[in-house]
Amino acid sequence: MVRECHSSSYKLYDRALESLVGGVNSPVRAEPRPTPSFVDRGDGAELVDVDGNRYCDYIMGYGPLLFGHDLPEPVREGVSEAVADGPMYGVPTDVEVELAEFIIDHVESVERLRFVNSGTEATAAAARLARGYTGRDKIVVMQSGYHGGHESFLVDGNVDDRKPGSAGVPDAFAAETIPVPFNDEDVIRDVFERHGSEIAAVLTEPLLGNCGIVLPVEGYHETLRDLCDEHGSLLIFDEVITGFRVGGLQCAQGKYGIEPDLTTFAKIIGGGFPVGAIGGRAEIMQAFAPTGDVFESGTFNGHPVTMVAGLETLRFAREHDVYSHVNELGRQLRSGLQDLVEEHTPEYTVTGIDSMFKILFTRDAPDTMDGHCRAGCKQRPECPRFELCPKTGADVRAGETDRWKRTFWPALADRGVLLTPNQFESQFVSYAHTEDDIERTLDAYQEVLSTKV
Ligand code: PLP
């Protein structure tokens, strides 16, 4: 039905190959074979492609689209008015103050903010801020984590053997970035023992959202917090995905009860428009210019259209109990998938939390569901199955990877369910999804899992 060689998508892709690198503007978009679907429009929870195929969409723009593809009335109106007033000015506006106040009112650890234009910019600036504030150079990150496409965080390996994660990244960056396995307390303790006085910050997502959704084991965040306090390093939570999604308006840090020193945001806080932000304790944030000497600036920072879209998005989410809806549908979907996996592919794992979900083609470990082992052990090491749980990014990536691209993803797309073409990226339920959508999605998974496509 879809992505055939005579389709309009195929023709557009062929044409795009002559003007855009690889036919796309972000590599993951080129992954579907034989061709990506080119989108005509969004409609509620669905995407309609240029060939008229409709897909129940769980990519949701890779996270920003909390409401699905139709913006709520106040967001649409706010955006239209902002455009009509002249799209941007390069001088301050009231709406950027209002959005900052909203975030500060809801996220305990945030006292000051700086708005930028993407998650990548936010994490890059947070790294510079941490380095400038502490006077140290090294940043600890999680293996298989993702914080955007810039030099500091495109680093692979481990503490003793680090290398650039992309051509074009100088070795000097790898020297200053230390990847450690998520959830491994022994390794992070050892790294602080050896390098504590050089570490500016530990930067981590509260849960890993770019390698299949890996939830924190009990006590891991607290260990990071304690080690940072002990050694004068900053704890930075990258809440680009989880911010105003996991844990609702309090974000993942509220859900887990941890206060980082700095937080990076993006995606949902822009209401579908390009955005990023760094927030945190006033004393640290003041190190940014103009109050401090850490440089950060941007022509489009605090763009009025984005600011109003973000503000109205968060207000709407607060006033309409959006999180109860998306979290309940997320729970239903994970629970249905869990039953299917147990019946057809017990070697797979269903993972996720709140409105995020994923099936991992890895070892039999339902234990990561909603942060709790189904057997009730809450992932404590004494659980007999504990060793089987995917706890680190490497565990997840050790699973079968070929099937996703070759057969699994296309089979679900052919049944009208659009998942992330990359096996490891998070998928999202939106406010526009309904129980009927969840049911037909589970029917599609049932067909695919039962035939071992
Ligand atoms: N941090 C995390 C956790 C992300 O998932 C992403 C992107 O998906 C980024 C940073 C980079 O954000 P952006 O794509 O807006 O630059």
Side-chain angles (χ1 to χ4, degrees), residues 210-282:
N210 288 285
C211 59
I213 310 178
V214 181
L215 303 176
V217 294
E218 216 169 84
Y220 187 64
H221 288 148
E222 286 78 1
T223 299
L224 297 182
R225 182 66 278 174
D226 290 349
L227 285 169
C228 286
D229 288 345
E230 212 175 296
H231 293 269
S233 311
L234 302 185
L235 178 61
I236 309 175
F237 269 7
D238 180 350
E239 293 231 38
V240 164
I241 288 181
T242 55
F244 298 95
R245 174 178 296 284
V246 174
L249 295 172
Q250 281 70 48
C251 305
Q253 56 194 267
K255 188 175 183 98
Y256 291 119
I258 289 288
E259 278 198 30
D261 300 296
L262 294 175
T263 305
T264 52
F265 301 97
K267 302 203 191 260
I268 285 177
I269 65 160
F273 294 83
V275 77
I278 310 100
R281 287 193 356 239

